[in-house]
Amino acid sequence: MRKSSQGVTVVALLADPDAPTEVAQHMSRVLPDRLAGKSGEGRRFDVEVVSEPFTAGTEDLQTLTRRIMDRRRAEHWDIVVALTDLPLHSHGHKLVVELSHEHGWALLSLPSLGGLRFGRRALRAVEETVLSLASQQATGAGETPRHQSLGRFVSRLAPIHPGPVGEEETADLRYVVSGPGGYLRVLGGMVRANQPWRLVPGLSKALAAALATGAVATVNSTLWSLSEALSTPRLVIAMVGSVALMIGWLIVDAHLWHRSTDTSPEERKRTSLYNASTIVTVGIGVVVCYAGLMVINLVWALFILNDRVFASMTRTPLHASEYWTLSWFVASIATVGGALGSGFESDEAIRAAAYSKREQERRRMLDDDDDD
C-alpha cells in the first residue's frame, strides 16, 4: 500500500487477471510521464498495478462499484481505475467507462474499445479518465461532475457517447456505445480478448487428424482426378462447407453455445453477443488452421508427387495450377478429418483454447448456476 504525499497522486490500476493485468502493466510504464506532462502545475503521478478478480461471480455494476470503493478506502489510493475484459451493460447500453469524481474511481470495460488499435485506445481512455478525476480532486469545485466530459476520448472513439446516470447512483459520468457500430466494436473487443489464434496449438488432436488426412489424401490418385474435374466455384463451396462443419462441430461438441434461462430482453442481447463472439473466435481459429493446412499440403505435394505418374492418372501435366488446386481441395478434406479428430479433445481443452481465462470462469459459473 502506498499513500500519496504532497504533490504526488497515487493511481491504482485495479485489473482482472490475465489480459487486463497485461494491459495495465504495459500502461504503467508510460502513464506517469504522460499524466505529469498533461496535468501541469508540477504534479506527479505514482501508478501501481493491482491484479485481482474483482469481477468474480458478478457483472452487476452496483456490486462492482462497491468492491472498487472498498478497495480504494482500504488502500488509501487517490484514484483507482478498474479494468475488466467482461462486456458490461448499463440501462440497456453497452458500457465503456463510468466515473465517480466525488469518490475518485472509474470502471473501464475493455471490450468496448474494439479490437483494432486497442493499445492506443486503452491508453487514451485511462489517461483521460485519470486526468478528469485528478482535476476534480485538485480544484474541489467548479463544473458539476454530471456535466463534465472526457473530451478527446469521446471524439476519437465515436460511436461512444454519454449514457444515462441515475440520481441514486454513485457514478456521476458514464459513456456507452450503442447501435450497430457499438455492437461490432464490443464484439471485436471480445474476440480480441479471446485471442482466437490460440485455438490452433490448442487443438493438437484435431490438427494431428487433419495433417494425417491431408498426407494420405495428397497421394490418392482418385483425389487427383477429382481436383482436376472440380471448378473453382465447387472448390469454394467445399472450402466453405468444411470450415462451417468444423466450426459447428467444435461449438456443439464442446458445448460452447450458451443458452440463458433468463428471458429478459437485456439478457437475450447479452447472450447473443457472447454467442456471436464464440462463432467469430472459433471461425478465425478454424480459418487460420485451414490456411496452414493449405500451405503444408502444398509443400507435401511438391515433395511427394511425380509429374509422370500424375499425368498418366489424370491426363493433365503437373503444373503450378495443379499443385494449387490439389492442395486447396485436400485442405477441405483434411479440415473435415480435423473436425472428426476434435472429438478426442476434452471440452475443457477446447474451451481453454477458444476463450480467455476470465471468459472460461464466467461460463463455468453460468454452468454451475444452471446445474443448481
Side-chain angles (χ1 to χ4, degrees):
M1 179 181 69
R2 286 184 285 180
K3 295 184 179 180
S4 60
S5 58
Q6 186 175 6
V8 179
T9 300
V10 176
V11 179
L13 300 180
L14 180 63
D16 268 333
D18 201 25
T21 296
E22 295 175 5
V23 172
Q25 290 173 342
H26 178 74
M27 288 182 186
S28 65
R29 304 187 189 104
V30 298
L31 263 180
D33 292 338
R34 291 176 64 97
L35 293 172
K38 294 187 177 182
S39 64
E41 301 178 357
R43 194 168 190 175
R44 293 188 296 116
F45 291 83
D46 188 5
V47 179
E48 62 177 288
V49 177
V50 179
S51 179
E52 65 178 53
F54 70 95
T55 61
T58 185
E59 296 179 30
D60 178 65
L61 287 181
Q62 293 184 354
T63 303
L64 297 179
T65 295
R66 287 195 298 269
R67 292 178 180 178
I68 296 169
M69 292 177 62
D70 290 344
R71 291 292 282 121
R72 178 179 180 271
R73 282 193 294 264
E75 300 294 338
H76 301 285
W77 295 319
D78 295 315
I79 294 172
V80 56
V81 179
L83 308 175
T84 181
D85 55 359
L86 291 180
L88 300 176
H89 294 74
S90 172
H91 300 283
H93 299 286
K94 300 168 186 65
L95 178 70
V96 179
V97 63
E98 66 174 16
L99 304 81
S100 173
H101 293 83
E102 179 182 357
H103 299 94
W105 64 263
L107 173 60
L108 176 63
S109 177
L110 295 176
S112 61
L113 300 179
L116 301 176
R117 295 180 296 173
F118 173 79
R120 184 183 304 176
R121 289 174 172 176
L123 178 60
R124 181 176 293 277
V126 173
E127 181 182 306
E128 294 293 336
T129 297
V130 172
L131 290 175
S132 178
L133 295 173
S135 175
Q136 182 69 18
Q137 289 184 354
T139 58
E143 189 177 26
T144 303
R146 292 182 186 272
H147 296 93
Q148 290 183 352
S149 69
L150 299 185
R152 290 174 297 170
F153 167 71
V154 179
S155 62
R156 295 290 183 89
L157 297 180
I160 296 175
H161 57 84
V165 180
E167 292 294 333
E168 73 286 352
E169 295 186 73
T170 307
D172 51 48
L173 185 62
R174 175 176 293 139
Y175 284 93
V176 298
V177 292
S178 58
Y183 181 90
L184 293 176
R185 181 182 293 271
V186 175
L187 179 61
M190 294 175 67
V191 171
R192 182 195 177 279
N194 287 335
Q195 300 177 346
W197 48 89
R198 299 186 309 178
L199 192 67
V200 179
L203 298 177
S204 57
K205 294 182 177 66
L207 287 176
L211 290 173
T213 303
V216 174
T218 302
V219 297
N220 188 300
S221 59
T222 302
L223 294 180
W224 298 351
S225 300
L226 278 175
S227 65
E228 289 301 308
L230 290 175
S231 61
T232 299
R234 289 191 175 186
L235 288 171
V236 172
I237 292 173
M239 176 183 67
V240 173
S242 63
V243 169
L245 177 64
M246 182 70 161
I247 294 172
W249 179 261
L250 287 173
I251 292 176
V252 173
D253 185 58
H255 307 288
L256 302 182
W257 194 260
H258 174 58
R259 292 180 176 86
S260 176
T261 56
D262 189 345
T263 59
S264 65
E266 184 169 340
E267 182 59 28
R268 285 201 299 268
K269 292 180 181 178
R270 184 176 302 175
T271 299
S272 67
L273 186 62
Y274 277 117
N275 286 332
S277 72
T278 295
I279 294 174
V280 177
T281 298
V282 176
I284 292 175
V286 172
V287 169
V288 172
C289 289
Y290 188 95
L293 288 172
M294 282 189 65
V295 173
I296 293 173
N297 291 332
L298 179 59
V299 173
W300 174 240
L302 289 170
F303 173 76
I304 201 68
L305 293 185
N306 181 279
D307 54 349
R308 293 181 180 177
V309 175
F310 186 91
S312 66
M313 298 298 296
T314 64
R315 299 181 181 180
T316 303
L318 186 57
H319 298 308
S321 60
E322 281 68 36
Y323 279 114
W324 170 256
T325 302
L326 178 62
S327 301
W328 187 4
F329 183 47
V330 169
S332 300
I333 298 174
T335 300
V336 175
L340 298 177
S342 67
F344 296 102
E345 302 278 5
S346 66
D347 293 352
E348 291 74 15
I350 296 177
R351 291 188 181 190
Y355 295 134
S356 66
K357 291 182 180 179
R358 296 293 300 133
E359 179 64 5
Q360 293 177 53
E361 293 173 2
R362 190 195 73 84
R363 288 180 179 257
R364 191 179 302 115
M365 180 189 68
L366 290 174
D367 290 342
D368 293 340
D369 291 343
D370 291 340
D371 292 338
D372 295 340

